[in-house]
Amino acid sequence: MVLSELAARLNCAEYKNWVKAGHCLLLLRGCLQGFVGREVLAFHRSLLAAAPGLGPRAACRSGSRCSPRARQFQPQCQVCAEWKREILKHHTSRNGDVHWGNCRPVRWPVDAWEVAKVIKCRNEIMHSSEMKVSSVWLRDFQMKIQNFLNEFKNIPEIVAVYSQIEKFIYSVTQQLLTSDWAVYIPEEDQPDGCDYKTGVYLSEHQVNEIEMELLKEKLQELYLQAKGQEVLPEEILNQLEVVKEFLRNNEDLRNGLTEDMQKLDSLHQQPQKLDSKEPRAQTPEGKA
């Protein structure tokens, strides 16, 4: 039953494209996370050096009243107002789409990653509601990955490890994105059109682990969007229903995601609590 479910999923080219692209992003993240972590800490230190008054001794004076919601953030204290202005100086979308709801302003003086959360790129893989992407999209994605890697050739801090990153990621993306994935299923006929001579052989366990990791990422992304109220509750619920329907038809994946689904469901069992917050009194930024 498990093998037949897996075979059915991999028989859908668009779903297989989604899994392959998502797997490449996770490989890339794993290879670059050390560099990104150092850059985040360095950026936070540079902010504090330029504005010493925003350091660890600068505490939010308004507590929950300084909590952002989705793309809206009206600070109710001097510290958070100054932090917001400083962040906007460096944000690529200073007057546009800023996801304030991703972070906790009270942590900005002491936690570099809470500042980094404000700068969030939309992940098209995780935002694909049906978990499918076309072959045309996949080819464009491959070019973007290659161009992204080329950007690192001119960064002095990682010149020493660039060749390692390129060898590991570039070759892997080439193999994953341009080849077919063939999973050997005993006692079943070879599917029409499947050329095992050019396919990449993966075990059932390997593919299952990749799928599980991606689905966990998707559910976590939905959870963070819902918690930060980045999108309308209806959109979150629609995406959640798509995932639920997918898992209903794929028991081998559903059994490993029970806890993740319960976590997301529990957040949506109290939508009135999120929507019934009374509007906060607006205090001009820069005033305590």
Side-chain angles (χ1 to χ4, degrees):
M1 180 64 178
V2 172
L3 284 175
S4 62
E5 290 177 349
L6 175 60
R9 292 196 298 272
L10 294 186
N11 195 43
C12 175
E14 290 82 6
Y15 172 75
K16 186 159 56 175
N17 288 342
W18 180 79
V19 175
K20 288 157 70 174
H23 186 43
C24 284
L25 283 182
L26 294 180
L27 288 174
L28 184 63
R29 182 181 68 182
C31 205
L32 296 178
Q33 61 184 359
F35 167 73
V36 172
R38 291 190 296 273
E39 288 296 300
V40 167
L41 293 175
F43 176 68
H44 191 256
R45 285 194 296 267
S46 70
L47 286 180
L48 297 182
L54 299 180
R57 294 184 179 180
C60 173
R61 306 297 183 186
S62 299
S64 61
R65 293 194 300 124
C66 276
S67 297
R69 182 175 182 179
R71 295 172 177 81
Q72 301 297 319
F73 180 38
Q74 298 296 332
Q76 303 298 303
C77 76
Q78 181 75 23
V79 172
C80 290
E82 291 183 5
W83 260 108
K84 179 180 178 180
R85 283 195 294 268
E86 194 65 30
I87 289 173
L88 287 176
K89 290 180 183 178
H90 301 274
H91 204 287
T92 56
S93 181
R94 299 177 186 178
N95 299 311
D97 194 16
V98 179
H99 294 272
W100 299 106
N102 294 331
C103 61
R104 295 174 294 169
V106 68
R107 298 285 301 165
W108 283 342
V110 295
D111 191 337
W113 282 103
E114 287 298 326
V115 176
K117 287 179 183 178
V118 179
I119 306 172
K120 181 179 180 181
C121 299
R122 183 176 177 85
N123 185 339
E124 292 184 56
I125 297 295
M126 292 301 111
H127 285 79
S128 173
S129 59
E130 296 183 352
M131 297 176 289
K132 296 178 182 179
V133 295
S134 68
S135 296
V136 172
W137 186 96
L138 191 67
R139 287 193 292 271
D140 182 61
F141 171 80
Q142 181 181 352
M143 291 301 301
K144 289 179 179 178
I145 290 291
Q146 293 171 358
N147 292 336
F148 176 75
L149 286 175
N150 288 335
E151 292 293 324
F152 287 93
K153 289 183 177 179
N154 300 317
I155 299 179
E157 292 84 348
I158 65 168
V159 167
V161 296
Y162 174 77
S163 60
Q164 177 186 357
I165 293 174
E166 184 179 46
K167 181 179 179 180
F168 179 68
I169 295 294
Y170 185 81
S171 62
V172 170
T173 55
Q174 284 283 78
Q175 183 186 49
L176 287 179
L177 298 179
T178 61
S179 63
D180 195 12
W181 281 7
V183 177
Y184 176 66
I185 302 177
E187 301 179 358
E188 290 197 13
D189 294 333
Q190 177 175 320
D192 294 338
C194 180
D195 184 0
Y196 283 98
K197 293 182 180 179
T198 61
V200 174
Y201 288 92
L202 297 172
S203 70
E204 171 207 344
H205 180 69
Q206 286 175 308
V207 177
N208 186 263
E209 281 191 335
I210 292 170
E211 291 179 289
M212 288 291 293
E213 188 175 15
L214 286 176
L215 288 167
K216 282 181 176 292
E217 287 280 335
K218 182 173 180 63
L219 292 175
Q220 177 66 6
E221 181 74 12
L222 286 175
Y223 178 82
L224 293 176
Q225 282 186 318
K227 189 174 182 180
Q229 300 179 46
E230 298 176 33
V231 298
L232 294 174
E234 293 79 7
E235 183 178 338
I236 295 291
L237 289 173
N238 289 339
Q239 290 195 49
L240 185 57
E241 282 304 313
V242 170
V243 176
K244 285 182 176 180
E245 179 63 25
F246 175 81
L247 293 178
R248 276 193 286 269
N249 298 323
N250 294 278
E251 184 179 358
D252 59 321
L253 296 174
R254 181 176 70 244
N255 294 337
L257 295 168
T258 302
E259 184 177 341
D260 302 84
M261 293 297 296
Q262 290 176 345
K263 177 182 175 182
L264 191 51
D265 277 331
S266 65
L267 189 64
H268 279 279
Q269 287 173 357
Q270 302 175 357
Q272 295 85 2
K273 182 178 179 181
L274 295 176
D275 297 331
S276 63
K277 292 182 179 179
E278 296 181 1
R280 294 189 291 264
Q282 300 298 313
T283 301
E285 292 181 28
K287 296 182 181 180

